[in-house]
Amino acid sequence: MGRPQRAEWADAAKGVCIILVVLWHVVVKDYLQIDWHIGVPVPGFWGTLGEQFLPLRMPLFFTISGVFAANAAQRPWRVVARSRIAGFLYLYAVWLLIHTVVLATAPQLPTDRATSALGLLEQLTITPSNLWYLYALALYFTIAKATRRVPRALVLVPAAALSAVAAAGLLDTPGNRAGLYQNLVFFLAGLYLRPQIQQWAATAGRRRLLLTSGAYVLALAAMAVTGAQQWFGVWPLVSVVAVIFGITAAARLSRWSALSKPLARLGRITLPIYVIHMPVLALLHRLLLAPVSGLGGSAQNLIVLGYPILLTALVIGLSLAVHRGLLAVRAGWLFALPGPRRVEAAG
Protein backbone atom coordinates (compact mmCIF):
# COMPACT_ATOMS: atom_id res chain seq x y z
CA MET A 1 0.00 0.00 0.00
CA GLY A 2 1.25 3.47 -0.81
CA ARG A 3 1.13 6.53 1.41
CA PRO A 4 -2.31 8.08 1.95
CA GLN A 5 -3.29 10.54 -0.76
CA ARG A 6 -3.33 13.36 1.78
CA ALA A 7 0.44 12.95 2.23
CA GLU A 8 1.36 13.33 -1.44
CA TRP A 9 1.99 17.04 -0.95
CA ALA A 10 4.57 16.19 1.72
CA ASP A 11 6.38 13.70 -0.49
CA ALA A 12 6.30 16.21 -3.35
CA ALA A 13 7.78 18.83 -1.03
CA LYS A 14 10.58 16.42 -0.15
CA GLY A 15 11.15 15.78 -3.84
CA VAL A 16 11.55 19.50 -4.47
CA CYS A 17 13.84 19.81 -1.45
CA ILE A 18 16.21 17.07 -2.60
CA ILE A 19 16.38 18.67 -6.05
CA LEU A 20 17.27 21.99 -4.40
CA VAL A 21 19.93 20.28 -2.26
CA VAL A 22 21.62 18.74 -5.31
CA LEU A 23 21.24 21.94 -7.35
CA TRP A 24 22.88 24.01 -4.59
CA HIS A 25 25.81 21.61 -4.37
CA VAL A 26 26.16 21.58 -8.16
CA VAL A 27 26.22 25.39 -8.29
CA VAL A 28 28.56 26.01 -5.35
CA LYS A 29 30.91 23.05 -5.64
CA ASP A 30 31.15 22.69 -9.42
CA TYR A 31 29.51 25.43 -11.51
CA LEU A 32 31.08 28.41 -9.73
CA GLN A 33 34.50 26.72 -9.77
CA ILE A 34 34.58 26.63 -13.58
CA ASP A 35 36.56 29.34 -15.36
CA TRP A 36 33.74 31.03 -17.24
CA HIS A 37 35.02 33.63 -19.73
CA ILE A 38 31.78 34.73 -21.33
CA GLY A 39 31.39 38.40 -20.42
CA VAL A 40 27.90 38.04 -18.88
CA PRO A 41 27.12 37.45 -15.18
CA VAL A 42 25.13 34.25 -15.60
CA PRO A 43 27.17 32.27 -13.03
CA GLY A 44 26.53 35.02 -10.49
CA PHE A 45 22.82 34.77 -11.25
CA TRP A 46 22.79 31.06 -10.41
CA GLY A 47 24.70 31.66 -7.19
CA THR A 48 22.28 34.40 -6.13
CA LEU A 49 19.26 32.31 -7.07
CA GLY A 50 20.52 29.39 -5.00
CA GLU A 51 20.96 31.63 -1.98
CA GLN A 52 17.28 32.60 -2.09
CA PHE A 53 16.31 29.02 -1.32
CA LEU A 54 18.60 28.65 1.71
CA PRO A 55 15.87 29.65 4.23
CA LEU A 56 13.49 27.19 2.56
CA ARG A 57 15.40 24.08 1.58
CA MET A 58 16.54 22.44 4.82
CA PRO A 59 13.94 23.99 7.17
CA LEU A 60 11.17 22.59 4.97
CA PHE A 61 12.98 19.27 4.64
CA PHE A 62 13.22 18.93 8.43
CA THR A 63 9.64 20.09 8.97
CA ILE A 64 8.37 17.36 6.64
CA SER A 65 10.68 14.85 8.32
CA GLY A 66 9.11 15.84 11.65
CA VAL A 67 5.60 15.37 10.23
CA PHE A 68 6.49 11.86 9.06
CA ALA A 69 8.22 11.12 12.38
CA ALA A 70 5.19 11.87 14.57
CA ASN A 71 4.00 8.27 14.80
CA ALA A 72 7.48 6.77 15.10
CA ALA A 73 8.36 9.02 18.03
CA GLN A 74 5.48 7.50 20.03
CA ARG A 75 6.92 3.98 19.84
CA PRO A 76 8.83 2.41 22.78
CA TRP A 77 12.42 3.48 23.39
CA ARG A 78 13.84 0.14 22.25
CA VAL A 79 12.11 0.51 18.87
CA VAL A 80 13.08 4.14 18.37
CA ALA A 81 16.64 3.54 19.55
CA ARG A 82 17.22 0.84 16.94
CA SER A 83 15.09 1.80 13.96
CA ARG A 84 15.71 5.55 14.11
CA ILE A 85 18.60 6.62 16.30
CA ALA A 86 20.95 3.69 15.66
CA GLY A 87 19.66 3.39 12.10
CA PHE A 88 20.52 6.94 11.12
CA LEU A 89 23.85 6.88 12.96
CA TYR A 90 24.72 3.66 11.15
CA LEU A 91 23.92 5.20 7.76
CA TYR A 92 25.89 8.31 8.66
CA ALA A 93 28.98 6.32 9.67
CA VAL A 94 28.91 3.99 6.65
CA TRP A 95 28.48 6.75 4.12
CA LEU A 96 30.96 9.03 5.85
CA LEU A 97 33.63 6.39 5.23
CA ILE A 98 32.55 6.06 1.59
CA HIS A 99 32.55 9.83 1.10
CA THR A 100 35.98 10.15 2.69
CA VAL A 101 37.46 7.63 0.25
CA VAL A 102 35.76 8.98 -2.87
CA LEU A 103 36.33 12.66 -2.08
CA ALA A 104 40.03 11.96 -1.66
CA THR A 105 40.13 11.27 -5.40
CA ALA A 106 38.70 14.72 -6.20
CA PRO A 107 40.70 17.19 -4.11
CA GLN A 108 39.59 20.10 -6.33
CA LEU A 109 35.98 19.83 -5.13
CA PRO A 110 35.45 22.52 -2.46
CA THR A 111 33.69 20.61 0.30
CA ASP A 112 34.22 19.43 3.85
CA ARG A 113 36.24 16.25 3.99
CA ALA A 114 38.31 14.35 6.50
CA THR A 115 42.01 14.29 5.60
CA SER A 116 43.27 12.52 8.72
CA ALA A 117 42.16 9.98 11.29
CA LEU A 118 41.55 12.79 13.77
CA GLY A 119 39.50 14.69 11.21
CA LEU A 120 37.43 11.59 10.53
CA LEU A 121 36.86 11.10 14.26
CA GLU A 122 35.73 14.72 14.55
CA GLN A 123 33.24 14.29 11.73
CA LEU A 124 31.94 11.10 13.33
CA THR A 125 31.32 12.81 16.64
CA ILE A 126 31.11 16.60 17.05
CA THR A 127 31.37 18.24 13.61
CA PRO A 128 29.17 16.42 11.09
CA SER A 129 30.11 16.22 7.44
CA ASN A 130 28.04 16.88 4.31
CA LEU A 131 25.89 13.97 5.52
CA TRP A 132 24.78 16.01 8.53
CA TYR A 133 21.06 15.49 7.78
CA LEU A 134 21.40 11.86 8.91
CA TYR A 135 23.40 12.85 11.98
CA ALA A 136 20.78 15.49 12.78
CA LEU A 137 17.85 13.08 12.50
CA ALA A 138 19.48 10.69 14.99
CA LEU A 139 20.07 13.56 17.41
CA TYR A 140 16.62 15.10 16.89
CA PHE A 141 14.86 11.77 17.46
CA THR A 142 16.80 11.37 20.70
CA ILE A 143 15.75 14.83 21.87
CA ALA A 144 12.14 14.34 20.79
CA LYS A 145 11.89 10.99 22.55
CA ALA A 146 13.64 12.18 25.73
CA THR A 147 11.38 15.23 26.03
CA ARG A 148 8.09 13.60 25.03
CA ARG A 149 6.56 14.25 28.47
CA VAL A 150 7.85 17.82 28.70
CA PRO A 151 5.41 20.62 27.79
CA ARG A 152 5.98 21.41 24.13
CA ALA A 153 6.60 25.10 24.68
CA LEU A 154 9.50 24.23 27.01
CA VAL A 155 11.12 22.32 24.13
CA LEU A 156 10.24 24.54 21.16
CA VAL A 157 11.27 27.83 22.77
CA PRO A 158 14.85 26.73 23.61
CA ALA A 159 15.13 25.11 20.15
CA ALA A 160 14.04 28.39 18.54
CA ALA A 161 16.50 30.32 20.70
CA LEU A 162 19.30 27.94 19.68
CA SER A 163 18.40 28.48 16.04
CA ALA A 164 18.48 32.26 16.46
CA VAL A 165 21.78 32.19 18.35
CA ALA A 166 23.45 29.98 15.73
CA ALA A 167 22.09 32.01 12.79
CA ALA A 168 23.35 35.23 14.40
CA GLY A 169 26.87 33.81 14.57
CA LEU A 170 26.94 33.80 18.36
CA LEU A 171 28.04 30.17 18.50
CA ASP A 172 31.12 28.49 17.07
CA THR A 173 29.77 26.51 14.10
CA PRO A 174 32.59 24.78 12.21
CA GLY A 175 31.67 22.36 9.45
CA ASN A 176 27.93 21.80 9.39
CA ARG A 177 27.15 22.53 13.02
CA ALA A 178 25.21 25.64 12.04
CA GLY A 179 22.61 23.58 10.18
CA LEU A 180 22.49 21.15 13.09
CA TYR A 181 21.70 23.93 15.56
CA GLN A 182 19.32 25.88 13.34
CA ASN A 183 16.98 23.11 12.18
CA LEU A 184 16.03 21.32 15.39
CA VAL A 185 13.13 23.72 15.88
CA PHE A 186 11.72 22.88 12.44
CA PHE A 187 11.86 19.13 13.04
CA LEU A 188 10.13 19.58 16.39
CA ALA A 189 7.55 21.90 14.82
CA GLY A 190 6.71 19.25 12.23
CA LEU A 191 6.51 16.62 14.96
CA TYR A 192 4.35 18.63 17.38
CA LEU A 193 2.20 20.54 14.90
CA ARG A 194 1.44 17.73 12.48
CA PRO A 195 -2.39 18.09 12.67
CA GLN A 196 -2.19 21.85 12.14
CA ILE A 197 0.25 21.44 9.25
CA GLN A 198 -1.95 18.83 7.60
CA GLN A 199 -4.99 21.07 8.02
CA TRP A 200 -3.09 24.03 6.57
CA ALA A 201 -2.09 21.95 3.55
CA ALA A 202 -5.61 20.57 3.09
CA THR A 203 -7.13 24.04 3.00
CA ALA A 204 -4.43 25.78 0.93
CA GLY A 205 -5.96 27.90 -1.79
CA ARG A 206 -4.70 30.16 -4.56
CA ARG A 207 -5.10 33.30 -2.47
CA ARG A 208 -3.04 31.81 0.34
CA LEU A 209 -0.35 30.79 -2.14
CA LEU A 210 -0.15 34.36 -3.44
CA LEU A 211 0.02 35.77 0.08
CA THR A 212 2.67 33.35 1.34
CA SER A 213 4.84 33.64 -1.76
CA GLY A 214 4.61 37.43 -1.53
CA ALA A 215 5.53 37.31 2.14
CA TYR A 216 8.57 35.13 1.37
CA VAL A 217 9.77 37.44 -1.41
CA LEU A 218 9.29 40.52 0.78
CA ALA A 219 11.12 38.85 3.69
CA LEU A 220 14.07 37.97 1.44
CA ALA A 221 14.16 41.47 -0.02
CA ALA A 222 13.98 43.16 3.38
CA MET A 223 16.73 40.94 4.77
CA ALA A 224 18.95 41.68 1.76
CA VAL A 225 18.34 45.43 1.75
CA THR A 226 18.96 45.85 5.48
CA GLY A 227 21.79 43.31 5.69
CA ALA A 228 19.87 41.68 8.53
CA GLN A 229 20.78 38.08 7.84
CA GLN A 230 22.76 37.81 11.08
CA TRP A 231 20.46 39.95 13.20
CA PHE A 232 19.21 37.93 16.12
CA GLY A 233 16.03 36.06 15.20
CA VAL A 234 15.79 37.29 11.61
CA TRP A 235 17.00 34.16 9.81
CA PRO A 236 14.73 31.76 11.75
CA LEU A 237 11.78 34.09 11.19
CA VAL A 238 12.43 34.24 7.44
CA SER A 239 12.76 30.45 7.45
CA VAL A 240 9.37 30.12 9.15
CA VAL A 241 7.85 32.28 6.40
CA ALA A 242 9.65 30.12 3.82
CA VAL A 243 8.33 26.88 5.34
CA ILE A 244 4.76 28.20 5.41
CA PHE A 245 5.13 29.14 1.75
CA GLY A 246 6.69 25.76 0.94
CA ILE A 247 3.87 23.80 2.54
CA THR A 248 1.27 25.94 0.77
CA ALA A 249 3.01 25.60 -2.60
CA ALA A 250 3.42 21.84 -2.19
CA ALA A 251 -0.24 21.46 -1.30
CA ARG A 252 -1.29 23.42 -4.38
CA LEU A 253 1.19 21.50 -6.53
CA SER A 254 -0.30 18.19 -5.40
CA ARG A 255 -3.42 19.07 -7.42
CA TRP A 256 -1.41 18.88 -10.65
CA SER A 257 -0.81 15.14 -10.79
CA ALA A 258 1.36 15.28 -13.91
CA LEU A 259 3.98 17.18 -11.89
CA SER A 260 3.25 16.23 -8.30
CA LYS A 261 3.33 12.44 -8.80
CA PRO A 262 6.89 12.34 -10.21
CA LEU A 263 8.03 14.71 -7.46
CA ALA A 264 6.30 12.59 -4.82
CA ARG A 265 8.00 9.45 -6.17
CA LEU A 266 11.31 11.27 -5.95
CA GLY A 267 10.43 12.43 -2.45
CA ARG A 268 9.99 8.82 -1.32
CA ILE A 269 13.54 7.90 -2.38
CA THR A 270 15.51 10.86 -1.05
CA LEU A 271 17.91 8.73 0.99
CA PRO A 272 19.91 7.19 -1.91
CA ILE A 273 20.06 10.55 -3.69
CA TYR A 274 21.22 12.28 -0.52
CA VAL A 275 24.01 9.83 0.33
CA ILE A 276 25.21 9.11 -3.22
CA HIS A 277 25.03 12.48 -5.00
CA MET A 278 28.17 14.02 -3.47
CA PRO A 279 30.55 11.23 -4.56
CA VAL A 280 28.92 11.29 -8.01
CA LEU A 281 29.32 15.07 -8.19
CA ALA A 282 32.94 14.81 -7.06
CA LEU A 283 33.80 12.39 -9.86
CA LEU A 284 31.91 14.45 -12.45
CA HIS A 285 33.66 17.60 -11.23
CA ARG A 286 37.03 15.94 -11.69
CA LEU A 287 35.98 14.87 -15.18
CA LEU A 288 34.39 18.14 -16.34
CA LEU A 289 36.25 21.01 -14.66
CA ALA A 290 39.20 21.30 -17.02
CA PRO A 291 37.35 20.56 -20.30
CA VAL A 292 34.50 23.01 -19.59
CA SER A 293 36.91 25.69 -18.35
CA GLY A 294 38.92 25.23 -21.53
CA LEU A 295 36.01 25.77 -23.91
CA GLY A 296 35.94 28.89 -26.03
CA GLY A 297 33.61 31.76 -25.21
CA SER A 298 31.09 30.80 -27.91
CA ALA A 299 30.80 27.22 -26.66
CA GLN A 300 30.52 28.36 -23.06
CA ASN A 301 27.76 30.79 -23.99
CA LEU A 302 25.72 27.86 -25.28
CA ILE A 303 25.88 25.90 -22.02
CA VAL A 304 26.33 28.47 -19.24
CA LEU A 305 22.62 29.01 -18.53
CA GLY A 306 21.45 25.39 -18.61
CA TYR A 307 24.59 23.73 -17.21
CA PRO A 308 23.40 23.59 -13.54
CA ILE A 309 20.03 22.14 -14.54
CA LEU A 310 21.54 19.49 -16.80
CA LEU A 311 24.22 18.52 -14.28
CA THR A 312 21.68 18.36 -11.45
CA ALA A 313 19.51 16.00 -13.50
CA LEU A 314 22.56 13.91 -14.39
CA VAL A 315 23.73 13.67 -10.79
CA ILE A 316 20.27 12.62 -9.57
CA GLY A 317 19.89 10.11 -12.40
CA LEU A 318 23.32 8.58 -11.78
CA SER A 319 22.68 8.45 -8.03
CA LEU A 320 19.50 6.47 -8.57
CA ALA A 321 21.26 4.20 -11.07
CA VAL A 322 24.02 3.50 -8.55
CA HIS A 323 21.36 2.79 -5.94
CA ARG A 324 19.64 0.25 -8.20
CA GLY A 325 22.98 -1.34 -9.01
CA LEU A 326 23.91 -1.68 -5.34
CA LEU A 327 20.56 -3.26 -4.53
CA ALA A 328 21.02 -5.65 -7.46
CA VAL A 329 24.29 -6.92 -5.95
CA ARG A 330 22.65 -7.31 -2.52
CA ALA A 331 24.24 -4.24 -0.97
CA GLY A 332 21.01 -3.12 0.66
CA TRP A 333 22.94 -2.91 3.96
CA LEU A 334 24.28 0.41 2.63
CA PHE A 335 20.80 1.91 2.90
CA ALA A 336 19.37 0.33 6.06
CA LEU A 337 20.64 -0.97 9.36
CA PRO A 338 20.95 -4.75 8.94
CA GLY A 339 18.45 -6.72 10.96
CA PRO A 340 14.73 -7.30 11.19
CA ARG A 341 13.83 -3.64 11.56
CA ARG A 342 14.70 -1.14 8.85
CA VAL A 343 15.13 2.59 9.12
CA GLU A 344 12.92 4.81 6.96
CA ALA A 345 14.75 7.55 5.08
CA ALA A 346 12.20 10.29 5.65
CA GLY A 347 12.50 10.27 9.42
Side-chain angles (χ1 to χ4, degrees), residues 9 41 89 96 102 160 172 176 190 195 204 212 215 239 248 325 335:
W9 68 267
L89 288 177
L96 176 60
V102 176
D172 185 27
N176 290 286
T212 56
S239 295
T248 306
F335 304 99

Side-chain angles (χ1 to χ4, degrees), residues 72-77 80 140-149:
Q74 301 303 316
R75 295 169 185 164
W77 258 113
V80 175
Y140 295 173
F141 260 102
T142 304
I143 293 172
K145 189 63 178 172
T147 59
R148 69 191 184 282
R149 300 187 186 280

Side-chain angles (χ1 to χ4, degrees), residues 325-336:
L326 290 171
L327 293 182
V329 297
R330 301 181 182 277
W333 55 271
L334 288 172
F335 304 99

Side-chain angles (χ1 to χ4, degrees), residues 222-275:
M223 186 170 62
V225 169
T226 60
Q229 181 171 333
Q230 286 197 308
W231 292 5
F232 186 84
V234 169
W235 185 266
L237 181 59
V238 173
S239 295
V240 169
V241 175
V243 169
I244 293 172
F245 158 69
I247 293 171
T248 306
R252 293 295 300 175
L253 179 66
S254 67
R255 304 179 186 186
W256 300 347
S257 60
L259 186 56
S260 67
K261 288 189 181 298
L263 287 172
R265 285 196 295 270
L266 194 66
R268 289 190 284 268
I269 51 172
T270 54
L271 174 63
I273 299 171
Y274 181 75
V275 298

Side-chain angles (χ1 to χ4, degrees), residues 179-202:
L180 194 68
Y181 297 154
Q182 291 178 41
N183 288 288
L184 171 61
V185 65
F186 295 101
F187 178 84
L188 293 175
L191 188 73
Y192 295 156
L193 304 177
R194 178 184 180 182
Q196 292 85 349
I197 291 171
Q198 290 177 326
Q199 178 65 20
W200 179 272

